[in-house]
Amino acid sequence: MGDVLDEPTFGTAAVARGWVALEQPGPWGRDAATQSHLDPALGHELARRTADAGGRMVLVRGTGPHADDHHARPRRAFVASCVPGRSWLLTAEVADPRALASLDVDAVVNGDLEATRASLPELTVAQRPVVLVCTNGRRDVCCAVRGRPVAQAAAAARPGQVWETSHTGGHRFAPTGVLLPSGLTLARLRSDDVVLALDAAGRNEIPARLLGPRHDRGRSALTGPEQAAESAVRALTGEWRLDGIRVGGVERSDRTDAGDIGQVSVQRLSPNGDVLGRWRVDVRRDRRGPDRRVSCGKPVEEQIGYAVDIREA
């Protein structure tokens, strides 16, 4: 898998401008939203509406043993906008998960805090960031075997900020985690990495040791090429401030013998918004390593990843 082959992680984060996470204790199936003790019709509808808007819906649960618990009780929910410059995290305890049916997911993915809170008044601003560590063993056993010990140890150090989550993509990089509200997605995590990432996120930063192609998969609000370009410039410059990098869209896309190439403009900003540097990043999709399974239950397939070429603008 990705760890054995030391596959670079740039540009591999799930693309989602916002996240909706609903606590659901007990076991999860391969498709957690419809294969748990959550009403499958509700899970399907929440996942569909969120995806159609450009976001992602996941189930979360506390760390530790997961009893096959049918008892109804209030659930924790998290709602995050990951849009750069408009990122925020809301949370609520809902007595009935059907309350999330009223959530304005379009407002979430557009970073409209006021409209989001109006659609579900129970939501309040979360005081601390959270990290979702993938542990969905029915989707990929590596996520459970590697992810659960990391999540449990990190949760002991930072109670209430670490949650097990259903599928977020990138099983081959397990243990993986998604930081909210930034949407920063990280690979090959240890428990102390999670603690460092949470503490840095509270300062709107990324730990320096998590920069680079071993851990940094990118921010979910960006497209794959934009993620790869931003992560590459962060690694080049050592910029750990989340607001220290500004990414333009993919300005050009060509087809060459080497594959698809897109050009992304990237700026490094000072704390007061002055431009410290500009780069043009050519991002190319090319073959990465041997054909292989990317997760349990999937066939062997060709492996395509992003390669970058950075030059000052």
Side-chain angles (χ1 to χ4, degrees):
M1 292 290 184
D3 195 28
V4 174
L5 298 172
D6 203 27
E7 178 187 347
T9 58
F10 290 169
T12 63
V15 177
R17 290 170 58 86
W19 291 75
V20 178
L22 173 64
E23 183 182 5
Q24 176 55 60
W28 301 330
R30 180 176 175 81
D31 182 3
T34 60
Q35 296 174 337
S36 71
H37 292 318
L38 180 67
D39 175 17
L42 175 63
H44 172 78
E45 181 64 12
L46 289 174
R48 182 194 65 77
R49 287 180 55 238
T50 308
D52 287 350
R56 188 137 183 167
M57 182 264 186
V58 292
L59 299 185
V60 297
R61 61 192 176 195
T63 59
H66 304 300
D68 194 352
D69 187 356
H70 293 263
H71 298 293
R73 63 176 180 81
R75 322 280 184 87
R76 177 60 53 184
F78 294 100
V79 177
S81 166
C82 305
V83 180
R86 299 196 304 277
S87 62
W88 37 256
L89 178 63
L90 303 175
T91 187
E93 192 173 78
V94 294
D96 187 333
R98 286 189 288 265
L100 287 180
S102 68
L103 182 67
D104 186 342
V105 290
D106 290 312
V108 174
V109 301
N110 287 318
D112 189 335
L113 178 60
E114 184 177 347
T116 300
R117 294 188 69 179
S119 69
L120 189 61
E122 296 97 318
L123 291 169
T124 60
V125 175
Q127 299 304 307
R128 299 178 297 172
V130 299
V131 66
L132 312 181
V133 179
C134 185
T135 63
N136 194 350
R138 290 293 181 89
R139 187 80 180 218
D140 191 288
V141 69
C142 288
C143 291
V145 171
R146 299 179 184 177
R148 283 179 183 162
V150 167
Q152 190 160 3
R158 296 293 181 269
Q161 291 184 264
V162 182
W163 294 78
E164 295 189 13
T165 184
S166 58
H167 178 57
T168 59
H171 319 277
R172 62 196 184 278
F173 300 120
T176 65
V178 180
L179 271 165
L180 299 179
S182 68
L184 177 67
T185 305
L186 297 168
R188 303 178 176 116
L189 290 168
R190 302 179 312 195
S191 59
D192 58 334
D193 294 328
V194 175
V195 172
L196 276 177
L198 282 168
D199 292 349
R203 303 186 299 271
N204 210 27
E205 297 174 354
I206 306 170
R209 86 179 194 195
L210 298 183
L211 301 178
R214 178 165 178 76
H215 297 292
D216 182 5
R217 298 179 59 196
R219 287 197 287 174
S220 69
L222 305 177
T223 66
E226 291 169 334
Q227 293 173 11
E230 181 189 44
S231 296
V233 172
R234 284 193 184 279
L236 175 70
T237 62
E239 179 56 72
W240 62 81
R241 292 174 298 119
L242 277 169
D243 294 334
I245 299 289
R246 181 164 61 200
V247 180
V250 180
E251 298 178 355
R252 175 173 59 84
S253 184
D254 297 326
R255 178 70 183 175
T256 71
D257 291 340
D260 295 315
I261 295 180
Q263 187 178 93
V264 181
S265 62
V266 180
Q267 297 178 340
R268 186 183 186 191
L269 306 177
S270 72
N272 62 9
D274 294 334
V275 177
L276 300 176
R278 293 182 174 88
W279 292 265
R280 298 285 185 181
V281 184
D282 286 331
V283 183
R284 183 179 69 255
R285 289 175 58 82
D286 63 4
R287 185 182 177 87
R288 290 292 178 90
D291 295 354
R292 64 188 187 279
R293 299 177 188 271
V294 296
S295 71
C296 298
K298 283 194 173 183
V300 172
E301 57 187 75
E302 184 179 23
Q303 299 306 297
I304 302 296
Y306 290 111
V308 297
D309 181 26
I310 306 174
R311 62 184 185 277
E312 291 191 21

